[in-house]
Amino acid sequence: MRSQAQRPFHVMTKPIGPICNLDCKYCFYLEKEALYTEKKWRMQPDVLENYIRQYIEAQPNNHVSFAWQGGEPTLLGVDYFRRVVDIQNRYANGKSIENAFQTNGTLLDADWARFLKQHDFLVGVSIDGPKDIHDANRVDKRGESSFDQVMRGIQALQDEGVRFNTLTCLNRVTSQKPLEVYRFLKSIGSEFMQFIPIVERRPGSQAREWGLDLAEPGEREQTDLPVFGWSVLPKDFGDFYIRIFDRWIRKDVGKVYIQMFETAFAKWVGIPGGICVHSETCGDALAIEHNGDVYSCDHFVYPQYRLGNMSDHALVDMVESDPQRKFGNAKRDTLPKYCRDCNVRFACNGGCPKDRFLRTPDGEAGLHYLCLGYRKFFQHIDVPMRAMAGLYSQRRPIPEIMELVAKKKLPGYKALR
């Protein structure tokens, strides 16, 4: 039996499963309660220790990065994560350990902040923008505002000097106000921003059979399943990123880091890696549920993508299994010709397989729902990205691009204002 994976891999850890104190209208994970008949929503000590030990041992590199999410992980309490850190230290065996922690921020307080600071957790806070934009979808179980609680949580982090980034869901509301959202995120101290597109369809027969309210990826061939009204529209998706990019490249390069822009820059420079959405293949970003079930991906927590359970399968064997390799390679192998011939394929690679449920103009299946937006965005940034790649190759500071833009020395680039 192999002890280490052939290449680094990542696992999204769900120690409390889908349980959350909020009831965000667009959340794709709350419904996963329906997949579990035994309602014990906490990763038990033996499962937790077994997972941490195997995850550390299976990594081929000396740096190990854990990611804790939910549901809402703060519901487990600070002491639960003190135990996590103790177990990690016990099994580190000389490897450096890093923890990322994604939270809705509503339960963060001074005690949480001190713990997160002491152990240098990288905290991601989910917030959609100013109060009216945020509260349009991110509400509590009574359907009421969560904004003030999130802001109190962010203040607690800032009081203790905890580094944090923001995760903003790009939906039908946020996509209409790109600069308002961007200015707000900067105003609260976010220097690293992620914008996650919300795309969910109404359930087909398979999803309804499982008691789910959203379509599962296996139903991608059913193109007649309409998206929910809070899903972002493809054109709005592209315009959102373009408006922010044109502001960022004039004022904020080197000051604000936006995940999509960092990924795009790496593509134009030819640096491998980046987020899985735009990698040629996937399969190296798995998910583990509270009971030890391991799935191919966080967006594919459905029965047919379950690789096994930590109680009877070694984690490394599930990572390296034939089904998982096939799952990862299918991202490349099922790309339609329309995408293979596209001039921005090198940057896009067809997007996440979860949302490849449209047909190409030629009628071929497998076109990403956001294709129009991706193409528009990547084509728009081509000239400045080439210029930035030139600066990089000359070992000049990348922020010099702002001066080139100001002096209009990028022929062919027309920035929106």
Side-chain angles (χ1 to χ4, degrees), residues 345-395:
R345 177 197 170 179
F346 74 96
C348 176
N349 280 309
C352 179
K354 166 188 169 290
D355 297 324
R356 290 183 184 175
F357 53 80
L358 297 185
R359 290 187 177 274
T360 69
D362 298 327
E364 190 175 1
L367 182 66
H368 198 282
Y369 169 77
L370 295 174
C371 173
L372 185 152
Y374 279 134
R375 285 168 66 96
K376 186 174 183 180
F377 171 69
F378 287 128
Q379 288 171 351
H380 178 80
I381 67 173
D382 179 61
V383 170
M385 279 294 170
R386 288 177 184 272
M388 292 169 68
L391 293 172
Y392 177 82
S393 67
Q394 298 169 36
R395 299 187 178 182

Side-chain angles (χ1 to χ4, degrees), residues 313-325:
H313 291 81
L315 179 60
V316 67
D317 289 341
M318 289 185 276
V319 172
E320 297 288 353
S321 67
D322 289 340
Q324 184 62 4
R325 289 298 130 220

Side-chain angles (χ1 to χ4, degrees), residues 283-284 286 296 307 318-319 321-329:
D284 294 323
L286 299 86
S296 292
L307 298 170
M318 289 185 276
V319 172
S321 67
D322 289 340
Q324 184 62 4
R325 289 298 130 220
K326 183 178 179 181
F327 170 84
N329 290 335

Side-chain angles (χ1 to χ4, degrees), residues 10 20 22 42 70 72 78 98 111-112 138 166 185 195 199 223 249 254 297 322 341 357 376 388 390:
H10 183 75
C20 187
L22 295 188
R42 172 183 288 254
E72 176 48 46
V78 180
E98 176 185 68
D111 193 27
W112 266 110
R138 300 192 65 82
T166 52
L185 295 176
F195 298 104
V199 179
T223 57
I249 204 167
C297 170
D322 289 340
D341 294 342
F357 53 80
K376 186 174 183 180
M388 292 169 68

Side-chain angles (χ1 to χ4, degrees), residues 199-270:
V199 179
E200 298 294 346
R201 293 181 298 154
R202 298 186 183 280
S205 57
Q206 180 62 81
R208 288 195 297 269
E209 183 179 327
W210 290 329
L212 303 178
D213 298 320
L214 306 174
E216 56 93 18
E219 295 174 314
R220 57 184 172 270
E221 297 302 330
Q222 295 182 238
T223 57
D224 57 339
L225 298 177
V227 297
F228 279 93
W230 23 255
S231 295
V232 64
L233 297 174
K235 180 181 181 300
D236 293 343
F237 171 80
D239 290 343
F240 179 91
Y241 268 119
I242 287 171
R243 293 303 298 267
I244 292 179
F245 179 86
D246 288 347
R247 177 63 59 91
W248 172 81
I249 204 167
R250 294 200 310 270
K251 299 178 178 293
D252 295 324
V253 179
K255 303 172 187 175
V256 176
Y257 297 88
I258 298 175
Q259 186 183 57
M260 175 69 94
F261 302 169
E262 298 297 305
T263 298
F265 175 71
K267 298 293 185 181
W268 260 265
V269 172

